[in-house]
Amino acid sequence: MRVLIRGAGVAGLTLAHELRARAIHVEIAETAARAGGGASWFAGGMLAPWCERESAPDTVLTLGRTAADWWDATLPGHVIRKGTLVVAPPRDTGELSRFAARTCAFDWLDADEITALEPDLAGRFRKALFFRDEAHLDPRRAIAALHDRLQAIGVRFHFGAAPDFPDAGFDRVVDCTGSCAIGQAAKLRGVRGEMLMLETPEVRLSRPVRLLHPRIPLYIVPRGDRRFMVGATMIESDDPGPISARSLMELLNAAYALHPAFSEARVIETGAGVRPAYPDNLPRFEIDGSTIRVNGFYRHGFLLAPSIAREVAAHLSGDWRGDIGQMPVGAASALHVPERVNAIPLQTGANR
Ligand SMILES: Cc1cc2nc3c(=O)[nH]c(=O)nc-3n(C[C@H](O)[C@H](O)[C@H](O)COP(=O)(O)OP(=O)(O)OC[C@H]3O[C@@H](n4cnc5c(N)ncnc54)[C@H](O)[C@@H]3O)c2cc1C
């Protein structure tokens, strides 16, 4: 079988890996000059299914808990397993209890325990939640490494491809074009995420830290080299334009609230990515005419793409060999997914 994937973001690349692992011929057409230049470029790279459970359904936890293992097995050395620390300013500790009530698999820490984990936060927070099983990676390094690995195992890339790169000669076409499919994929919308990169030698953090705040929840992900990714806004918009002054101010204010030394940091990058999302904010694998769409990763591309890639690859290489346009409604159950995962909207075109 020959498969053409459109889009070399995290969704397309992880799928290509799973298809090659099943000895399927894969080519990737990407309109940009390199891999991972869409929403994937701006991601925090947090593999944090328990924290995300605060605002996401159980499916995200079920599908996301194996993500760190997948990335570790696929790209050894990229995953950093140091957990996630969640803090709140002293006047907002109620936010911590609210967060705790909606999640699981954490420990409550007191001020001394916070200091032991992150000495630079000493004396700043009285309580915290620690999600020890969570992990993170640098998305840009991971995407570059995945691209190299895919090339090494025989995936052919067509960079700078036309949006309608010819699909003659392929048995299947999988559309992984993220927010570029808005307007083509029914009900797909954009959720704008603005971020910035700070550089300072004065703060050392070794793991992602989330600051709960009623107005400006923020996270900071250490990138090494004294750099910190600060994110991210959640704005119902598919505008990929530069960060707004207000968002910049709010993200900087929140970084300052986490540690005042961030006020002396250099702002070395600002950016905005458009997260592709369906109404339930869960990813979908759906059949649209002769095309298969894998989209809607919302704020969970690095977290959920490996699981979805496995399911789509199992489907494409598996038992079901009929015409793609007639894939039965409810075919998710044929995808060998764990029982609870069937809740994920893996839909056929007829079911949309
Ligand atoms: C600020 C921010 C922070 C985030 N943090 C996290 C996080 O910590 N953890 C996490 O798991 N997720 C995070 N996400 C979400 C994650 O980045 C997205 O879910 C994910 O990148 C979506 O991947 P994708 O491959 O579907 O889309 P994209 O990464 O946008 O890739 C789509 C690709 O398709 C290409 N393309 C478009 N049209 C065509 C065409 N016609 N033919 C060929 N190619 C085409 C584009 O050039 C692009 O390269 C974050 C997102 C943002 C914006």
Side-chain angles (χ1 to χ4, degrees):
M1 184 191 295
R2 294 168 60 85
V3 176
L4 173 66
I5 296 176
R6 298 191 191 278
V10 70
L13 298 177
T14 50
L15 177 59
H17 186 273
E18 289 307 296
L19 291 171
R20 274 310 288 151
R22 290 161 177 80
I24 291 174
H25 176 91
V26 185
E27 297 189 25
I28 301 185
E30 164 60 56
T31 48
R34 60 179 165 80
S40 303
W41 186 250
F42 301 100
M46 291 176 296
L47 305 173
W50 288 275
C51 280
E52 288 299 307
R53 181 67 189 85
E54 185 251 345
S55 58
D58 239 6
T59 310
V60 169
L61 176 54
T62 310
L63 292 176
R65 63 198 315 162
T66 56
D69 292 341
W70 188 91
W71 286 104
D72 225 1
T74 307
L75 301 175
H78 281 257
V79 175
I80 301 164
R81 296 177 186 263
K82 291 205 164 184
T84 306
L85 191 63
V86 182
V87 298
R91 67 177 178 283
D92 294 321
T93 45
E95 290 291 312
L96 277 178
S97 304
R98 189 191 58 77
F99 196 94
R102 299 182 58 86
T103 57
C104 59
F106 56 81
D107 296 317
W108 280 99
L109 304 188
D110 62 21
D112 290 342
E113 291 166 320
I114 296 170
T115 304
L117 275 187
E118 295 291 355
D120 278 20
L121 298 182
R124 302 203 49 74
F125 302 98
R126 286 201 291 265
K127 282 179 169 182
L129 301 171
F130 181 46
F131 294 80
R132 67 178 64 250
D133 297 327
E134 295 193 334
H136 70 285
L137 48 68
D138 179 335
R140 297 177 185 180
R141 284 186 57 235
I143 288 284
L146 190 50
H147 163 263
D148 293 352
R149 176 160 168 74
L150 290 172
Q151 260 193 334
I153 59 175
V155 174
R156 187 163 169 215
F157 284 85
H158 304 271
F159 288 116
D164 56 352
F165 183 84
D167 57 12
F170 291 96
D171 303 297
R172 297 282 186 263
V173 179
V174 187
D175 186 304
C176 296
T177 58
S179 63
C180 295
I182 292 173
Q184 296 160 35
K187 298 186 179 167
L188 190 71
R189 74 186 202 285
V191 180
R192 175 176 160 89
E194 296 153 306
M195 49 72 72
L196 44 102
M197 199 76 78
L198 299 179
E199 187 179 82
T200 173
E202 291 178 35
V203 185
R204 280 166 308 254
L205 297 173
S206 55
R207 55 179 57 74
V209 179
R210 295 187 181 217
L211 175 71
L212 302 185
H213 186 284
R215 276 182 302 114
I216 331 158
L218 150 132
Y219 56 79
I220 293 193
V221 188
R223 286 278 186 262
D225 279 348
R226 307 163 173 183
R227 294 186 175 186
F228 300 88
M229 186 272 193
V230 183
T233 56
M234 296 277 292
I235 299 171
E236 289 290 329
S237 164
D238 55 16
D239 172 9
I243 190 170
S244 70
R246 177 184 176 155
S247 297
L248 184 57
M249 244 165 9
E250 289 187 343
L251 289 173
L252 287 172
N253 276 339
Y256 179 76
L258 185 72
H259 200 301
F262 277 120
S263 60
E264 298 298 326
R266 289 167 191 263
V267 181
I268 57 171
E269 180 188 335
T270 63
V274 178
R275 306 174 184 93
Y278 287 110
D280 56 7
N281 296 332
L282 290 172
R284 291 185 190 185
F285 155 41
E286 62 183 4
I287 315 300
D288 190 353
S290 60
T291 296
I292 300 172
R293 283 190 194 285
V294 180
N295 212 325
F297 284 94
Y298 183 50
R299 48 188 279 162
H300 303 130
F302 287 80
L303 181 63
L304 299 186
S307 277
I308 300 300
R310 269 195 300 255
E311 301 312 334
V312 175
H315 163 66
L316 285 178
S317 61
D319 319 326
W320 185 79
R321 299 189 187 282
D323 180 67
I324 207 91
Q326 293 167 14
M327 183 180 175
V329 172
S333 57
L335 299 183
H336 315 295
V337 289
E339 200 181 330
R340 291 171 77 192
V341 176
N342 287 339
I344 197 164
L346 297 167
Q347 296 181 347
T348 67
N351 198 25
R352 271 192 284 122

